[in-house]
Amino acid sequence: MAKVALKKVVFYVHYLERERLLERLQDEGLVHFTEIRRDLKDEFEVTHLSEVEFESHLESVLTRLSNAIKFLESYTRKKSFIESLYEAKKPVEKKEFFRIARCVEPGTILVQVETLEQELAQLAQEESNLLAQKNFILPWVNLEYNLEDIKSTDELVMAPGSLPSGKIADLEELPLACQLVYDDGKRAYVVLIYHKKDEDLIRPILQEKEFEPVEFHGYHGRPAEILRELDEKLNILEEEKKNLKQAIEKVSRHYDVLTILYDYYQSVYNRELIDNRGLKTASISVYQGYVRERELARLEKVFSEFETAYYEVVEPEDGEEVPVELENRKIFKPFEGLVKMYGLPSPIDPDPTAIITPFFILFFGICYGDAAYGLLLSLLSIWFMRKLKISAPLLWILFAGGIASMIFGAITGGWFGDFFERANIGFLNAFRRKMMVFDPMNDVMTFFALTIALGFIQVNVGLAVNAYKRIREGDTIGAISQPIAWIVILSSLVYLGLFAGKISNPLLNNTVKALALFFVLLMVLFSSRHSRNFVIRIVKGAYNVYNGVGFIGDLLSYVRLMALGLTSSGIAMAINILTLLVWQIPIAGYILGPLVFIFGHLFSLAINILGSIVHPLRLQYVEFFKQFYDDGGTPFLPLKWEGKYTEIVEIKKQEV
């Protein structure tokens, strides 16, 4: 339960040295900058722009760089399936990063990319128009006369169009001639000819038959000739697109440079935003922020490089929002992300990472609940980490969950479900039975009691943390009359309900009862002690006791662990039954059986991961955290060179 100790610092620097100081602080990544107090700005009569009002010439450059990168992404090296699963930043050596960032002018590259993008969009628009014309003309390809000749005269009306295929027969009853040009089964394309004197009769009927007239304005020649011309234009367009894509692929060699430029200018823009947060006069600039306490010496070293720079450590003001940075041992580090998903702890709250880690891993193992699946999951996690050369928190979480699943699966006899037993594999089934403690499919009540017991333990741990938190804040009476009281009451109820009848020790049983009643009375009297009215205090205290009913709901929520575990076993069992049924098919069964087994269990292995993460997380967030945890902390985000696409690395010199 560790958070990094932070110190608030205020910086003073001459206006002419401010940019260089901010750049050095960004190089070191030491300071989380915060807004200068508004009353100080008013006192110094400093004009200040909000981040919404603040403008920088870099904004347009960043927008153009971002658009260019997105455009060129599909033309760069194709990522493998494994690489696409994890978007890792590209490592760039520090000297190379700044050499490119400071020497390459983005304007020339951006103009090339934007020109090519515009040309490609124009070709795509032309292609879309040609295809639309082709689709329009295609149904009329069988017409043997020019489209411009389809026009009405003083006496006759020529009306090309289409109507539903099933209604073309209805036209035979009308005084008109009908030429069927094409029928695709849904709509019939026709040319109708009738006398103008019959127009008032025919038009309403055609509308009733869903006739849609067609106009051929702008088209000349027979449809077949028009289609040939359109195809020739499309072929030319395709050749132009091919040449254009080759030009784009040539320009895409600048992709890595553009990502470096984007990350560089974004970091510079962030520095400008920080500069805008400060208080600036004609001769001095003042900034404030937070530094890790252990890095004050490094901060001192940076400030020693400047003639006019000075800083002082000050105490945070009352009600000031202090940023939070979690710091845990290596074994707990991957699980910090689970806490951050919910929300960072407030500055006065403990970091719950180390507490939820064992519970989450255990609950994952119960939900996944299969030793073979757990082994495969752990091996796959290690393989992915080595293949991608990363240490992703999620993969470490899955690795740990796989280990827990191996242990719990062995205890419950789950090795690809009940495959060893169902397939009657002698030595493997004997090994399974030797390791098994209980069968969750048959000993459901044992499984039920196990999950309730785990819920009881975790809820009491949450109450204990709540008590620790209150005592640390100086609220010892509150700790005793609320969380500690509930720990004693709940533990007493469990003892009296499960063990009192089996232990013939009246003194012990009466002591437990007396202890429970004492803490109930304590809760009634002191849990709402801040109320001035004694009667209201007692009523609120009694209501707090009544609220203990909610613990029953909390404990029952942990039954979802059993439900998920049984579901995983049930899916595996169904796959095994299907595998053995297919295996009995003559000849084909020897091929289909292994396929059903492999792909079925791979599907089960993958699909159960989601539930085994989501439901244990819900128990942490809803049932556990509500006992003691208040989120709302602001993350500690020091100004540093941090990119979206790249990661700056320093190559260590080899010792000779």
Side-chain angles (χ1 to χ4, degrees):
M1 297 195 296
K3 291 188 292 188
V4 177
L6 303 176
K7 289 292 184 180
K8 182 180 178 181
V9 288
V10 178
F11 312 109
Y12 306 90
V13 63
H14 191 274
Y15 190 78
L16 297 178
E17 284 196 310
R18 80 185 197 288
E19 289 187 5
R20 197 162 63 88
L21 174 64
L22 290 175
E23 186 172 354
R24 280 291 293 119
L25 291 174
Q26 187 171 32
D27 291 339
E28 297 296 326
L30 293 173
V31 185
H32 170 105
F33 286 88
T34 58
E35 194 83 25
I36 288 283
R37 280 174 25 212
R38 186 166 296 280
D39 60 337
L40 286 178
K41 293 177 181 177
D42 295 339
E43 180 182 340
F44 281 85
E45 298 182 355
V46 177
T47 302
H48 172 74
L49 297 175
S50 68
E51 291 192 10
V52 176
E53 299 170 319
F54 176 74
E55 293 183 3
S56 168
H57 73 285
L58 292 178
E59 290 180 356
S60 61
V61 177
L62 286 168
T63 301
R64 293 175 65 192
L65 284 168
S66 179
N67 292 336
I69 290 169
K70 290 176 182 176
F71 175 68
L72 294 179
E73 265 179 345
S74 58
Y75 298 94
T76 56
R77 183 181 69 86
K78 301 296 182 183
K79 295 179 181 179
S80 66
F81 171 74
I82 295 175
E83 290 175 323
S84 65
L85 294 176
Y86 187 81
E87 294 292 334
K89 296 179 182 179
K90 183 176 181 179
V92 181
E93 200 275 321
K94 185 176 181 179
K95 288 184 179 179
E96 180 67 8
F97 179 90
F98 286 105
R99 184 191 68 79
I100 292 173
R102 289 164 179 164
C103 297
V104 176
E105 170 58 43
T108 305
I109 302 174
L110 287 174
V111 168
Q112 292 182 50
V113 175
E114 289 163 353
T115 301
L116 293 171
E117 184 178 10
Q118 193 173 22
E119 290 177 5
L120 186 64
Q122 185 176 349
L123 289 180
Q125 182 62 44
E126 290 179 17
E127 183 182 38
S128 178
N129 291 337
L130 290 173
L131 288 173
Q133 292 180 52
K134 184 176 179 180
N135 291 332
F136 175 73
I137 294 296
L138 196 59
W140 307 95
V141 69
N142 294 326
L143 277 178
E144 295 297 331
Y145 43 86
N146 297 333
L147 294 181
E148 65 267 24
D149 293 336
I150 303 177
K151 57 185 179 181
S152 300
T153 65
D154 293 338
E155 297 182 357
L156 295 176
V157 175
M158 293 187 71
S162 67
L163 73 165
S165 299
K167 297 184 178 182
I168 190 170
D170 299 341
L171 300 180
E172 296 176 1
E173 302 174 0
L174 299 176
L176 53 75
C178 174
Q179 178 187 359
L180 177 63
V181 180
Y182 177 69
D183 189 342
D184 62 7
K186 293 181 179 179
R187 296 195 70 82
Y189 296 82
V190 296
V191 177
L192 305 179
I193 304 174
Y194 54 86
H195 287 283
K196 276 196 174 182
K197 63 184 179 62
D198 298 323
E199 189 167 12
D200 293 339
L201 169 68
I202 293 173
R203 257 186 202 286
I205 298 174
L206 290 179
Q207 290 179 356
E208 181 184 335
K209 303 300 180 184
E210 300 178 43
F211 178 78
E212 295 180 3
V214 172
E215 298 286 347
F216 292 115
H217 294 308
Y219 290 98
H220 301 280
R222 291 186 299 167
E225 296 171 352
I226 296 172
L227 283 174
R228 278 195 297 272
E229 292 176 4
L230 290 173
D231 284 334
E232 289 174 3
K233 290 180 180 179
L234 284 169
N235 290 334
I236 294 172
L237 213 59
E238 192 62 34
E239 191 64 28
E240 290 180 6
K241 280 175 62 179
K242 185 179 178 181
N243 295 334
L244 190 59
K245 286 182 179 180
Q246 288 177 351
I248 294 171
E249 288 172 359
K250 187 176 180 181
V251 173
S252 68
R253 71 179 187 271
H254 298 300
Y255 177 83
D256 289 339
V257 172
L258 290 175
T259 59
I260 291 173
L261 291 173
Y262 178 89
D263 287 346
Y264 174 78
Y265 286 117
Q266 182 63 60
S267 294
V268 174
Y269 177 70
N270 291 340
R271 195 167 70 228
E272 289 184 356
L273 285 175
I274 293 298
D275 184 34
N276 181 60
R277 288 183 185 176
L279 184 155
K280 294 182 284 293
T281 66
S283 58
I284 191 171
S285 295
V286 183
Y287 307 92
Q288 73 176 25
Y290 287 85
V291 181
R292 301 177 185 94
E293 185 175 359
R294 63 172 178 263
E295 293 182 338
L296 284 173
R298 286 179 60 199
L299 186 69
E300 177 68 33
K301 185 178 179 182
V302 170
F303 271 75
S304 67
E305 301 172 9
F306 297 86
E307 295 181 1
T308 64
Y310 166 75
Y311 78 90
E312 61 177 340
V313 178
V314 298
E315 289 298 320
E317 299 167 27
D318 292 338
E320 183 174 351
E321 192 173 16
V322 180
V324 175
E325 182 177 34
L326 304 183
E327 184 176 53
N328 289 280
R329 294 180 180 179
K330 191 174 181 180
I331 191 172
F332 300 122
K333 196 71 178 173
F335 296 86
E336 286 181 358
L338 302 183
V339 175
K340 292 175 182 177
M341 283 174 60
Y342 184 84
L344 285 170
S346 65
I348 62 172
D349 270 349
D351 172 17
T353 303
I355 305 176
I356 71 167
T357 296
F359 284 113
F360 181 84
I361 293 172
L362 177 59
F363 294 168
F364 182 100
I366 293 173
C367 291
Y368 213 50
D370 191 281
Y373 287 1
L375 176 62
L376 288 173
L377 183 62
S378 295
L379 292 176
L380 283 171
S381 300
I382 293 295
W383 182 78
F384 271 118
M385 283 188 277
R386 289 188 175 180
K387 182 71 176 178
L388 299 175
K389 297 180 181 179
I390 58 171
S391 180
L394 177 60
L395 292 176
W396 277 116
I397 290 172
L398 293 178
F399 171 78
I403 298 297
S405 181
M406 286 174 56
I407 296 170
F408 189 77
I411 291 172
T412 56
W415 297 84
F416 295 114
D418 60 349
F419 183 73
F420 293 169
E421 181 180 20
R422 193 170 292 277
N424 197 23
I425 304 176
F427 72 98
L428 290 177
N429 194 33
F431 170 76
R432 168 183 173 269
R433 289 187 175 278
K434 188 175 181 180
M435 299 284 290
M436 187 168 61
V437 176
F438 74 97
D439 185 348
M441 301 299 286
N442 296 321
D443 303 327
V444 177
M445 291 309 298
T446 302
F447 203 176
F448 177 85
L450 174 63
T451 55
I452 292 294
L454 289 172
F456 180 80
I457 292 170
Q458 187 174 40
V459 167
N460 276 278
V461 169
L463 290 170
V465 176
N466 190 346
Y468 163 78
K469 173 183 167 184
R470 289 179 182 237
I471 292 171
R472 193 180 63 174
E473 293 171 4
D475 185 15
T476 305
I477 296 176
I480 296 173
S481 62
Q482 283 267 288
I484 293 177
W486 275 122
I487 292 172
V488 174
I489 294 169
L490 293 174
S491 301
S492 299
L493 291 175
V494 169
Y495 171 81
L496 294 172
L498 298 178
F499 305 108
K502 300 176 182 179
I503 300 175
S504 56
N505 190 332
L507 178 61
L508 177 60
N509 294 341
N510 291 332
T511 301
V512 172
K513 291 177 184 177
L515 200 60
L517 289 173
F518 171 76
F519 275 96
V520 168
L521 182 61
L522 200 67
M523 189 180 298
V524 171
L525 292 174
F526 295 102
S527 63
S528 297
R529 65 194 181 282
H530 297 296
S531 297
R532 295 183 179 181
N533 189 300
F534 181 77
V535 176
I536 294 177
R537 180 194 306 180
I538 297 301
V539 171
K540 285 185 176 180
Y543 183 73
N544 289 335
V545 174
Y546 170 76
N547 277 340
V549 176
F551 285 111
I552 298 175
D554 294 341
L555 295 179
L556 289 176
S557 292
Y558 287 82
V559 177
R560 71 182 63 245
L561 299 175
M562 180 187 76
L564 264 293
L566 292 177
T567 301
S568 300
S569 299
I571 294 173
M573 183 187 297
I575 294 168
N576 294 335
I577 293 172
L578 185 60
T579 298
L580 294 176
L581 286 174
V582 173
W583 181 262
Q584 295 173 10
I585 301 174
I587 302 176
Y590 296 110
I591 299 173
L592 295 177
L595 289 177
V596 171
F597 179 84
I598 293 170
F599 287 104
H601 282 293
L602 283 176
F603 170 79
S604 179
L605 185 149
I607 201 68
N608 286 320
I609 290 176
L610 183 61
S612 300
I613 291 176
V614 170
H615 290 281
L617 262 186
R618 183 198 177 281
L619 291 173
Q620 310 308 312
Y621 293 163
V622 179
E623 272 67 42
F624 185 49
F625 275 1
K626 78 175 183 180
Q627 308 300 338
F628 68 94
Y629 189 68
D630 294 320
D631 64 327
T634 301
F636 177 78
L637 299 173
L639 177 66
K640 58 183 178 179
W641 295 99
E642 185 173 29
K644 178 180 179 181
Y645 301 99
T646 60
E647 180 182 8
I648 299 175
V649 296
E650 293 195 52
I651 299 177
K652 295 181 179 179
K653 295 181 180 180
Q654 296 182 350
E655 295 183 2
V656 181

